[in-house]
Amino acid sequence: MSYIENIRVFVRTVEVGNLSAAGRDLRVSPAVASNRIKELEKHLGVRLFNRTTRQLAPTEQGRIFYEGAKQILATIEESEAAIADISNNPKGAIIVSAPLGFGRHILAPLIPEFHKEFPDISVRLRLSDRKVDIIKEGMDLAFHMGELPDSNLKMHKITDIERTLCASPEYIKKHGEPKDLLDLKRNHNCLLLRFPGSREYYWSFAEDDGSVTRLEVSGSFDSNNGTVLTQWAESGHGVVNKAKFEIAHQISAGELVPVLTDHKLIGAHLACLYPHRRYQEPKIRVFIDFMISRCRDEINKRVSKR
């Protein structure tokens, strides 16, 4: 079994290019991860990596072994899945990615409930508002909120997400409510979700005739973390564009006030994305089936409470 674990560490290190990161993903220390690579190199009698101060790059022998190693691990996973399917007892670990707001408010509270029903499945939740490369980052599945991507990944759509523009009562008292879209663009501080390499930033609105208005907005503050934007809005620093379920409590408590409600923001799609072969595994299948209806119900419940 230790040989298989050595292979797991090797494959993950190739994928992320960093021994410490591979160790974190597999829940072992950098020292243990390093020892596993050394054991594998000793067993094979070759050097698998060219080591630099910043990154590990596979040698020619390492690249060749990586292709075979991936197939070995895939075969083991498929065999374990087949056994679990027969025994009706799915087990194993699932690495799940989700946007920060959705993950904190909706997904995270449901995971203990899932674990109670399936105690032999452990869930490793990774939250980030950036776009995640599921394959490269070794995720089993990812929840996606936004425009549905055109990719080779399989997809289960969960629900449509309504969005709203909000500002704090203090901001509105000081700056007034935006009168229309032009006033929003010219005279108000828009709080923006940005990442390295972001293009021009637009908020999109649906018009009565079916057309879409893409409003280029700007502001003094931006962040790659949606929760930070909400906090800035609550503190009176600008207008924020958020999914309704994320700020339902703040609206109900009067901490945030919807603005420009006669202009309908283009909503987002919430979906679960995963590599095609992953859905064949019982642990993935039961997790997706469990979460789809519960996530939809929880989102609708939060919005309806406003």
Side-chain angles (χ1 to χ4, degrees):
M1 188 58 150
S2 61
Y3 183 64
I4 298 300
E5 293 309 313
N6 294 349
I7 292 177
R8 289 190 204 279
V9 172
F10 166 73
V11 168
R12 194 69 191 118
T13 302
V14 172
E15 291 172 343
V16 300
N18 183 284
L19 194 58
S20 295
R24 285 195 300 272
D25 282 354
L26 298 173
R27 294 186 173 181
V28 299
S29 69
V32 170
S34 178
N35 285 336
R36 290 201 177 282
I37 296 296
K38 289 176 183 177
E39 287 178 8
L40 192 58
E41 289 179 325
K42 183 178 179 180
H43 174 80
L44 296 172
V46 297
R47 185 159 53 92
L48 295 172
F49 290 102
N50 291 316
R51 292 163 171 82
T52 67
T53 55
R54 293 187 176 183
Q55 189 170 348
L56 294 180
T59 61
E60 181 179 355
Q61 294 93 331
R63 287 193 296 271
I64 293 171
F65 186 70
Y66 171 70
E67 295 303 323
K70 282 197 305 181
Q71 295 178 21
I72 290 170
L73 295 181
T75 300
I76 290 173
E77 289 177 359
E78 290 170 3
S79 299
E80 289 177 343
I83 293 172
D85 210 9
I86 293 172
S87 64
N88 197 29
N89 183 32
K91 59 181 62 179
I94 304 174
I95 304 178
V96 179
S97 170
L100 195 60
F102 168 75
R104 287 183 62 223
H105 296 296
I106 305 298
L107 189 59
L110 291 173
I111 287 176
E113 183 182 338
F114 171 80
H115 185 68
K116 185 176 180 180
E117 188 166 333
F118 299 96
D120 292 327
I121 301 177
S122 62
V123 181
R124 303 172 187 174
L125 181 61
R126 308 289 184 261
L127 301 183
S128 176
D129 283 326
R130 67 177 174 82
K131 184 178 179 181
V132 172
D133 187 324
I134 298 176
I135 304 298
K136 183 177 180 181
E137 298 183 42
M139 301 293 171
D140 291 301
L141 58 97
F143 289 89
H144 174 83
M145 197 165 71
E147 293 185 9
L148 295 180
D150 182 13
S151 73
N152 294 325
L153 298 170
K154 303 298 288 184
M155 178 189 72
H156 273 281
K157 183 178 174 182
I158 299 174
T159 190
D160 292 319
I161 302 294
E162 291 184 75
R163 304 189 69 87
T164 188
L165 297 180
C166 288
S168 71
E170 292 77 14
Y171 178 88
I172 293 172
K173 183 177 180 180
K174 184 175 181 179
H175 301 280
E177 286 194 39
K179 299 179 180 64
D180 51 35
L181 296 186
L182 188 60
D183 183 36
L184 174 68
K185 176 179 178 178
R186 289 180 174 177
N187 302 314
H188 289 272
N189 194 45
C190 297
L191 304 172
L192 308 179
L193 185 67
R194 284 189 185 276
F195 304 96
S198 294
R199 302 175 182 176
E200 293 178 308
Y201 202 92
Y202 294 90
W203 286 348
S204 298
F205 297 83
E207 302 296 348
D208 293 337
D209 61 3
S211 63
V212 175
T213 295
R214 287 162 55 88
L215 186 73
E216 185 178 353
V217 292
S218 60
S220 304
F221 308 146
D222 65 64
S223 175
N224 64 352
N225 185 309
T227 300
V228 170
L229 302 186
T230 302
Q231 292 170 345
W232 281 340
E234 290 175 310
S235 299
H237 297 302
V239 179
V240 69
N241 177 346
K242 297 292 293 185
K244 283 187 177 181
F245 75 83
E246 290 188 50
I247 40 81
H249 171 75
Q250 289 90 331
I251 292 176
S252 178
E255 297 164 358
L256 289 175
V257 178
V259 298
L260 286 179
T261 54
D262 54 339
H263 290 79
K264 182 176 177 56
L265 278 165
I266 297 292
H269 301 291
L270 177 65
C272 184
L273 308 176
Y274 54 91
H276 177 68
R277 65 182 178 86
R278 288 296 191 191
Y279 192 65
Q280 309 308 315
E281 300 178 32
K283 64 181 181 181
I284 305 298
R285 202 162 59 239
V286 297
F287 182 83
I288 292 175
D289 293 346
F290 181 95
M291 288 298 174
I292 283 181
S293 62
R294 284 170 174 80
C295 287
R296 185 188 303 117
D297 292 345
E298 187 61 30
I299 288 171
N300 291 337
K301 185 191 306 180
R302 290 177 67 91
V303 173
S304 65
K305 280 183 178 180
R306 280 200 302 112

